Amino acid sequence: MPEVLKAPLVVEFPFTRSLGPVQSAFLTGLRERVVLGVKTTDGRTLVPPVEYDPVTAEDLDELVEVAPTGTVTTWAWNHEPRRGQPLDTPFAWALVRLDGADTALLHALDAPGPEAVRTGMRVRVRWAAQRTGAITDIACFEPYDGDRPQIAGHDGRFEDMVTGIVAPARLDYVYSPGRAQSAYINSLSSRRTVGERCPSCRKVYVPPRGACPTCGVVTSEQVEVGPRGTVTTYCIVNIKARNLDIEVPYVYAHIALDGADLALHGRIGGIPYDQVRMGLRVEPVWTEGGRYPDHYRPTGEPDAEYDTYKELL
Amino acid sequence: MPPIRDIAVVAFAQSDHLRTTDELSEVEMLIPVLHAVLDQTGLKTSDIGFTCSGSSDYLAGRAFSFTMALDGVGAWPPISESHVEMDGAWALYEAWTKLLTGDADTALVYGYGKSSPGSVRDVLTRQLDPYYVAPLWPDSVALAALQAQALIDAGETDEAALAGVASRSRASAATNSHAQVRGSVPQGEYLVRPLRVGDCPPVGDGAAAVILAAGERARELCERPAWIRGIDHRIEAHGLGVRDLTDSPSTRLAAERAGAFERPVDTAELHAPFTSQEVVLRKALRLGEEVRVNPSGGALAANPIMAAGLIRIGEAAARVHRGESDRALAHATSGPCLQQNLVAVLEGDPR
């Protein structure tokens, strides 16, 4: 069996999120070096603040300032920081109950080693040099044995409120398409199209995914199909996709390769877009170094009879 | 409202859970498990009244991955099907509800996950509060370690006791041929202190499936059905600093609603990926030393994400099927530090 393929796959997206009044005030406060909590109707102060009481689900909007100093309620020593975490040197994760708050905030605690950290220790916020209105405006906490500072009693109203955050996310994978699709991709490298036949219903699937969606059984018998095929249905694309070097309008079609029982997708070229039709006979066009057909063009054969492909629409 | 029909787990199958299954796509990994569970009952996919699955796109890094897996159940012509972006245990809950309505008499439930393509510690950060927590990228081991330290500070456990949970679990798994980590395993170095390698679940790929059936249909399909006497799931606040990490009130409430406290159970399959979480769950569920906990080895022996909770229900049911249990509790969890919890109570007919 040829080698199963693998390739790096990075999924990356900058999530843009709107904040709402409570989170907006909290994150704007961090930009201004002010930590805010929210009061519940039973008199507790939640930090970080939330819009709804986690116990009663009541709306919450009464913002109160708390101190940038607090007490560690629990912690865990992280000797190997991972990408994206607040510090790139060993640190403690800590839940910190800030002075004036009844709940704890999760963040990093910069300390020389696990021996320097304990539950109940006193810490204070270390502010980030550049602050934008995000949880990372707190660079981390640091040990602090001084007095609890006076706070001004900020009410949560600021000039130029932060109303949204951009939270970039990135995950790295090593993608493998599995046995069946690896075999398909490997065969394409020699410009052959290989599907798999279902042992039960005898249909040939291309590209193969290793299972028959009708019978729910494993497929494994490889069958070469094409190279020619029939357009079973199509659409005319009028909007140019970003980073796609194809002039519009163009035709995108379902093509049933000869011998296949499932149509695959492809672009149709070599014919004016408004002359493409169901039943058109086509063949693949490969470009130098291409890993799959660039497009399909008419073969010049007479059109296929509808009855020959009506089951493949 | 009491259930209007009796519903039972009548079959259970699982894959061998492995660190990597590169050579298999998700559906290729799943199909043998689906065939195994169907073979136990003699049912064909076309006989199944309802199909429900649990999985997560974030594990494989591709959108709508469950639609590809559907090829494994023969989804053409159209079937009655649903999916949850949760552990398969929650898919089972949905299927149980469907059977309660009378719309179907049998259901196929499966859960699967391939953690090997990505870094699961990082992947799981994406389920956290996106405003205050996820931007800090606290990984799943770090959050569990915070919970472990809270338990140690509260005097409810210590590192030696946690190591005991780990060694008991892996020893139990020695007879579980599907498990990924079996027998004697060193506790190893700290991953995130106070949790060592041995306190944490293996990362792996795997799948599981069960078949549910209602009333007489269950008796036709299984010699000793595992009747679901109750099932319930509860959730806690997403803010970790709002919760008491040494307790799990959501588990306790789910267990109460599932009827777990009405009579003693003899077996408990707990979905506790970290040793410290077993400490929390034993307390929440009031499990005494006489209850056999995780005879399969539990999630410390194999933790295929999105299947490990369903496996707890399946393992508990299989013990009832084999006559090794008369009343078993199964628990599944999701989210950081036991945020969401599902409890099911399974019983065999009196002997």
Side-chain angles (χ1 to χ4, degrees):
Chain A
M1 190 174 84
E3 198 182 338
V4 170
L5 298 170
K6 283 186 193 182
L9 169 68
V10 177
V11 177
E12 199 167 14
F13 193 77
F15 287 91
T16 305
R17 300 183 180 278
S18 47
L19 294 174
V22 172
Q23 298 183 122
S24 172
F26 176 68
L27 294 179
T28 307
L30 296 186
R31 189 190 67 196
E32 306 302 325
R33 303 191 193 208
V34 170
V35 187
L36 295 168
V38 69
K39 278 272 191 208
T40 64
T41 48
D42 64 359
R44 289 175 307 135
T45 300
L46 310 181
V47 181
V50 291
E51 293 152 317
Y52 300 95
D53 189 307
V55 178
T56 64
E58 284 175 296
D59 283 18
L60 300 178
D61 59 6
E62 187 191 344
L63 295 157
V64 291
E65 186 176 355
V66 299
T69 54
T71 304
V72 171
T73 64
T74 188
W75 61 282
W77 186 255
N78 187 33
H79 66 276
E80 281 179 330
R82 302 171 75 80
R83 188 182 65 210
Q85 295 182 344
L87 297 170
D88 55 15
T89 51
F91 67 90
W93 288 106
L95 282 167
V96 175
R97 189 169 58 234
L98 293 171
D99 296 326
D102 294 289
T103 61
L105 170 78
L106 178 73
H107 219 295
L109 167 60
D110 189 10
E115 306 75 23
V117 185
R118 60 181 173 78
T119 297
M121 77 183 284
R122 297 284 296 160
V123 297
R124 72 173 170 191
V125 169
R126 179 191 296 165
W127 296 104
Q130 303 289 323
R131 295 181 308 283
T132 60
I135 192 65
T136 45
D137 289 355
I138 297 175
C140 61
F141 285 94
E142 60 191 17
Y144 174 72
D145 55 12
D147 294 336
R148 177 172 169 170
Q150 290 291 318
I151 54 170
H154 205 285
D155 64 0
R157 283 192 281 268
F158 299 92
E159 299 282 314
D160 184 22
M161 297 284 281
V162 177
T163 57
I165 59 168
V166 177
R170 175 192 165 119
L171 294 170
D172 287 69
Y173 299 90
V174 176
Y175 182 71
S176 173
R179 178 199 57 80
Q181 292 184 88
S182 286
Y184 169 76
I185 295 167
N186 281 325
S187 68
L188 281 178
S189 65
S190 52
R191 299 194 174 184
R192 294 160 57 241
T193 300
V194 175
E196 285 186 351
R197 190 190 305 280
C198 172
S200 176
C201 70
R202 310 299 295 163
K203 282 187 174 166
V204 173
Y205 294 100
V206 57
R209 294 202 293 261
C212 173
T214 307
C215 305
V217 299
V218 173
T219 60
S220 58
E221 181 194 341
Q222 295 189 351
V223 180
E224 184 164 346
V225 298
R228 292 185 169 189
T230 301
V231 171
T232 63
T233 187
Y234 64 94
C235 64
I236 300 167
V237 180
N238 286 288
I239 296 172
K240 196 171 168 65
R242 193 159 59 163
N243 306 326
L244 192 61
D245 189 24
I246 298 172
E247 287 307 311
V248 291
Y250 66 87
V251 173
Y252 194 67
H254 274 187
I255 299 155
L257 296 179
D258 295 346
D261 292 294
L262 185 70
L264 46 67
H265 320 256
R267 183 169 62 87
I268 306 296
I271 181 173
Y273 72 91
D274 56 358
Q275 291 177 30
V276 174
R277 56 203 181 264
M278 290 170 70
L280 181 70
R281 295 285 296 158
V282 294
E283 63 188 2
V285 178
W286 295 80
T287 52
E288 187 63 35
R291 289 180 295 177
Y292 47 86
D294 178 71
H295 65 277
Y296 290 77
R297 69 181 170 209
T299 63
E301 294 168 276
D303 286 2
E305 290 293 330
Y306 180 67
D307 281 350
T308 64
Y309 63 84
K310 67 180 181 185
E311 297 296 329
L312 301 176
L313 288 179
Chain B
M1 190 186 80
I4 49 172
R5 338 166 68 187
D6 287 331
I7 294 160
V9 178
V10 297
F12 165 59
Q14 62 184 313
S15 63
D16 291 340
H17 309 296
L18 304 168
R19 179 62 189 87
T20 59
T21 51
D22 280 348
E23 72 289 1
L24 301 176
S25 66
E26 288 171 324
V27 66
E28 288 167 344
M29 178 178 75
L30 188 57
I31 277 193
V33 177
L34 296 172
H35 284 248
V37 79
L38 289 163
D39 287 349
Q40 286 177 35
T41 57
L43 293 171
K44 300 188 293 294
T45 52
S46 54
D47 300 326
I48 296 290
F50 182 61
T51 299
C52 198
S53 60
S55 67
S56 173
D57 288 346
Y58 278 81
L59 291 175
R62 58 188 305 204
F64 294 101
S65 55
F66 78 94
T67 60
M68 298 297 186
L70 270 178
D71 286 352
V73 297
W76 182 266
I79 61 171
S80 175
E81 181 270 340
S82 186
H83 173 259
V84 298
E85 189 81 3
M86 287 283 278
D87 189 289
W90 275 264
L92 183 143
Y93 185 91
E94 181 177 337
W96 175 76
T97 310
K98 182 81 168 179
L99 264 54
L100 276 186
T101 67
D103 280 354
D105 293 329
T106 53
L108 171 64
V109 179
Y110 59 93
Y112 65 92
K114 286 188 65 167
S115 295
S116 59
S119 167
V120 74
R121 286 174 69 178
D122 300 322
V123 167
L124 290 176
T125 63
R126 300 302 92 191
Q127 70 182 331
L128 303 168
D129 160 19
Y131 301 96
Y132 300 159
V133 182
L136 306 175
W137 294 82
D139 61 278
S140 50
V141 178
L143 296 176
L146 287 169
Q147 186 169 31
Q149 185 65 43
L151 286 162
I152 291 169
D153 287 337
E156 304 215 13
T157 192
D158 55 31
E159 290 193 33
L162 296 180
V165 171
S167 69
R168 193 210 73 235
S169 298
R170 273 74 185 239
S172 296
T175 54
N176 176 357
S177 62
H178 302 287
Q180 187 178 334
V181 179
R182 285 178 275 175
S184 179
V185 177
Q187 271 297 83
E189 300 295 313
Y190 287 119
L191 272 186
V192 180
R193 186 170 170 168
L195 293 181
R196 296 176 182 271
V197 175
D199 293 306
C200 302
V203 175
D205 302 349
V210 306
I211 291 175
L212 301 182
E216 283 308 304
R217 198 81 181 92
R219 292 183 202 280
E220 292 164 19
L221 295 170
C222 181
E223 198 170 322
R224 191 172 195 244
W227 300 106
I228 300 173
R229 292 304 182 205
I231 182 168
D232 196 273
H233 61 111
R234 299 283 157 167
I235 183 169
E236 294 177 34
H238 65 252
L240 288 169
V242 173
R243 294 162 48 190
D244 173 2
L245 295 179
T246 67
D247 199 4
S248 183
S250 57
T251 299
R252 186 177 298 112
L253 183 57
E256 187 186 318
R257 298 298 173 99
F261 301 133
E262 289 166 14
R263 282 183 294 123
V265 297
D266 54 43
T267 304
E269 278 285 342
L270 305 180
H271 185 192
F274 298 92
T275 52
S276 42
Q277 294 180 342
E278 184 179 304
V279 176
V280 177
L281 292 171
R282 276 179 181 270
K283 181 171 78 167
L285 293 166
R286 303 172 196 155
L287 298 177
E289 291 301 317
E290 71 288 356
V291 179
R292 181 125 197 243
V293 173
N294 287 345
S296 66
L300 287 163
N303 189 40
I305 292 179
M306 299 295 147
L310 180 63
I311 290 169
R312 304 282 72 74
I313 300 175
E315 289 280 6
R319 288 184 75 77
V320 172
H321 295 162
R322 294 194 298 264
E324 294 165 9
S325 170
D326 293 321
R327 181 171 158 91
L329 180 149
H331 160 268
T333 195
S334 184
C337 301
L338 301 171
Q339 187 192 4
Q340 302 163 54
N341 296 284
L342 178 148
V343 174
V345 177
L346 304 169
E347 282 184 356
D349 285 324
R351 289 180 289 185

